[in-house]
Amino acid sequence: LVRGYSGAGDDEQSLGNLVASVLPGWSGVDRGAIVVEEVSGEGAQTTHRISAPVAVPPCVAFHKWAEEGPDEICLQRTAAAARLFAQHSLAPPRLAEGGDWYIE
């Protein structure tokens, strides 16, 4: 769990900066080279594809819960299911997570 980044802005620059700040393989990435694309569907969260050519990994999925998102029990269940699926190669692993967001 990464503290201090909950409630971060929803604009592309803020999201790119957050990813570059919390993922070790992104620390040296030129912030101007980060590309953020919203790819949300339906539901209580937004999803962005965030990429940079020299980052490791070069592309991640950034998910952010809506302010009126699910309760704490639902968040814990979702995180537990994500860990279980990733352990069995059924989903990507969570690379980082905060109070209202996570990165895969």
Side-chain angles (χ1 to χ4, degrees):
L1 183 64
V2 179
R3 301 238 181 248
Y5 291 95
S6 295
D10 291 330
D11 61 282
E12 292 181 0
Q13 183 177 3
S14 295
L15 297 178
N17 287 339
L18 189 154
V19 170
S21 296
V22 301
L23 294 182
W26 284 64
S27 62
V29 171
D30 173 15
R31 305 292 169 102
I34 297 173
V35 177
V36 178
E37 176 186 2
E38 184 170 356
V39 293
S40 301
E42 300 293 325
Q45 64 180 329
T46 57
T47 302
H48 293 80
R49 178 181 306 144
I50 302 180
S51 59
V54 298
V56 178
C59 184
V60 297
F62 180 90
H63 305 276
K64 185 170 183 183
W65 295 103
E67 285 186 35
E68 66 282 348
D71 61 34
E72 187 61 30
I73 292 172
C74 183
L75 293 174
Q76 291 174 8
R77 286 182 184 158
T78 302
R83 282 190 300 275
L84 182 64
F85 290 167
Q87 287 171 356
H88 295 282
S89 300
L90 299 171
R94 285 197 176 179
L95 303 174
E97 59 188 303
D100 63 350
W101 57 269
Y102 60 95
I103 301 170
E104 300 176 318

